Amino acid sequence: MKTLDTLLLLALAAGLSFNVHAGGNAAAGKAIASEKCQACHGADGNSTDPQYPRLAGQHANYLVKALSDYNSGARSNPIMSGFAQGLTEQDRKDVAAWFSSQSGLHTPVEPRTVSK
Ligand code: HEC
């Protein structure tokens, strides 16, 4: 019985960690990024040119949503719309898994100030 409980817990934990990555394969995403995205966003998503947003460390769900929106036309940009058209749904999840797993963006925490 104890073994069964352990197995159930492991299965649950594995399921949860898959959900975090939303089905994306970072290694496949890395290959797409170095072929199609690197020129502007940098191979690891740390763009050095301020006209291209940094993608490194961004939440995977945010990246998938942005790419889906460019693809559907809900978000429009003359440069990105074209690049997003060339990606399948799996490609979007894969590049999102890659860029989100890189070090880059983080949310700074401002010290709290108390006003009287
Ligand atoms: C020729 C340059 C160029 C290439 C190549 C390019 N992008 Fe972009 N990307 C941009 C620009 C410019 C923007 C900002 C567009 C806007 O303001 O909506 C952008 C925005 C984005 C955003 C939205 C970022 C945010 O913070 O909302 C994502 C996600 C993205 N690109 C992913 C990709 C992926 C994935 C690839 C490769 C398949 C790629 N881009 C290739 C120029 C490029």
Side-chain angles (χ1 to χ4, degrees), residues 32-33 36-41 51-55 58 62-64 66-67 70 75-77 79-80 83-84 87 95 99:
I32 296 168
K36 298 182 177 170
C37 324
Q38 178 175 4
C40 299
H41 295 288
Q51 68 177 311
Y52 304 125
R54 283 192 181 191
L55 308 177
Q58 181 57 276
Y62 178 95
L63 296 172
V64 169
L67 291 168
Y70 286 127
R75 181 169 173 180
S76 110
N77 176 269
I79 301 173
M80 266 319 294
F83 285 101
L87 302 175
V95 285
F99 286 128

Side-chain angles (χ1 to χ4, degrees), residues 1-16:
M1 226 18 207
K2 200 161 190 251
T3 315
L4 187 62
D5 287 350
T6 309
L7 283 176
L8 282 173
L9 270 179
L10 282 175
L12 189 66
L16 287 176

Side-chain angles (χ1 to χ4, degrees), residues 16-114:
L16 287 176
S17 68
F18 286 136
N19 282 340
V20 168
H21 297 293
N25 177 323
K30 181 183 184 181
I32 296 168
S34 57
E35 189 191 334
K36 298 182 177 170
C37 324
Q38 178 175 4
C40 299
H41 295 288
D44 66 352
N46 280 300
S47 159
T48 51
D49 184 331
Q51 68 177 311
Y52 304 125
R54 283 192 181 191
L55 308 177
Q58 181 57 276
H59 293 267
N61 287 348
Y62 178 95
L63 296 172
V64 169
K65 167 90 165 82
L67 291 168
S68 302
D69 285 351
Y70 286 127
N71 191 43
S72 71
R75 181 169 173 180
S76 110
N77 176 269
I79 301 173
M80 266 319 294
S81 298
F83 285 101
Q85 299 297 324
L87 302 175
T88 64
E89 190 182 343
Q90 189 62 48
D91 290 343
R92 291 194 284 270
K93 290 179 179 173
D94 292 347
V95 285
W98 167 247
F99 286 128
S100 68
S101 66
Q102 301 306 296
S103 297
L105 293 169
H106 68 282
T107 307
V109 178
E110 296 291 328
R112 299 188 84 181
T113 49
V114 180

